Amino acid sequence: MANVLQDAPEMFALCEELELASVNRSPLAMGLLTGRRRSGQALEAGDIRSRPPQWLQGFEDGSGAAPDWVARVDALKGVLTSGGRTLGQGALAWLWARSPRSVPIPGFRSVAQAEQNAGALAKGPLTAEQMTEVDRVLGR
């Protein structure tokens, strides 16, 4: 798992060293990086995010998105939405900038979401300057 909120430097380094692709699940952080999941937003019965397992970070048991995670997403909006990108497209662009070997597997529930995800390809990866700004905003 890797996304702009949960970098995986060891994984990316290993993939580079061994000339492997990294297949990244949850590149949109289960909806946090699309702006659709907010603090206190009720989740549907049976939604894994309503009772998140330990590996699923960014959500609180029974109360939806964790406020500190939503605040990080809000702080990143300016850089991720640059160049006419949607927030989700910016999150995918971060992964491609992080490593050209990255293959994000974003989820979608509608044709419109799939098209929006695919539209990220036309906009390409974030620039080096944008990556530096992401790291600054997140304190990395």
Side-chain angles (χ1 to χ4, degrees):
M1 177 183 301
N3 58 59
V4 68
L5 299 172
Q6 297 170 287
D7 195 4
E10 296 85 10
M11 178 197 66
F12 288 118
L14 180 64
C15 288
E16 187 63 34
E17 177 185 336
L18 299 177
E19 298 183 7
L20 298 171
S22 64
V23 178
N24 305 117
R25 69 179 177 91
S26 199
L28 303 178
M30 300 290 284
L32 286 172
L33 288 166
T34 64
R36 291 184 181 97
R37 294 290 166 198
R38 307 299 299 168
S39 300
Q41 181 182 24
L43 296 165
E44 301 81 26
D47 188 319
I48 192 171
R49 296 168 289 200
S50 67
R51 298 196 61 170
Q54 185 175 8
W55 60 264
L56 179 54
Q57 298 182 3
F59 293 89
E60 297 178 336
D61 199 22
S63 62
D68 58 324
W69 283 67
V70 171
R72 284 187 247 168
V73 172
D74 289 343
L76 290 171
K77 274 185 184 174
V79 65
L80 294 180
T81 60
S82 63
R85 293 179 180 93
T86 65
L87 188 56
Q89 289 171 340
L92 296 173
W94 178 87
L95 275 168
W96 293 321
R98 181 67 177 86
S99 170
R101 297 180 178 278
S102 183
V103 181
I105 308 294
F108 57 91
R109 293 186 179 199
S110 69
V111 171
Q113 287 177 343
E115 289 172 344
Q116 186 177 69
N117 290 342
L121 290 168
K123 297 184 183 342
L126 295 181
T127 65
E129 295 79 21
Q130 291 166 322
M131 293 295 283
T132 298
E133 180 63 10
V134 166
D135 286 344
R136 186 195 66 73
V137 167
L138 294 176
R140 301 197 278 228

